[in-house]
Amino acid sequence: MAINAVVKVDGENVDQALKLLKKKVEREGLVREIKKHAYYEKPTEVKRRKILKAKRKQQKLVRKLQEKYKYL
């Protein structure tokens, strides 16, 4: 996966360019992707992580619906 991010530096404004680069990298999810592939994860661990993520997402949806229909 190759993603090119280009940030032009105008004059002495290196700090602002660095801040812009960090935002671009965060938006693309590059840091998260690198950390995910930094070490081997067993297939059972991958499955377990996905199941837990799905459970959290479901619980969040239930809480949201309960809050919405709380006053009915």
Side-chain angles (χ1 to χ4, degrees), residues 9-35:
V9 179
D10 294 330
E12 299 292 322
N13 211 349
V14 177
D15 291 331
Q16 199 171 31
L18 184 61
K19 197 180 274 190
L20 182 63
L21 177 66
K22 286 180 180 180
K23 277 186 183 179
K24 281 186 177 186
V25 168
E26 182 64 34
R27 224 177 300 136
E28 293 294 328
L30 293 177
V31 175
R32 205 174 319 125
E33 191 71 23
I34 290 170
K35 285 182 180 180

Side-chain angles (χ1 to χ4, degrees), residues 19 32-33 35-37 40 45 55 62 67 71:
K19 197 180 274 190
R32 205 174 319 125
E33 191 71 23
K35 285 182 180 180
K36 190 169 92 172
H37 293 292
Y40 177 75
E45 291 172 346
K55 282 182 182 179
V62 168
E67 192 66 30
Y71 300 109

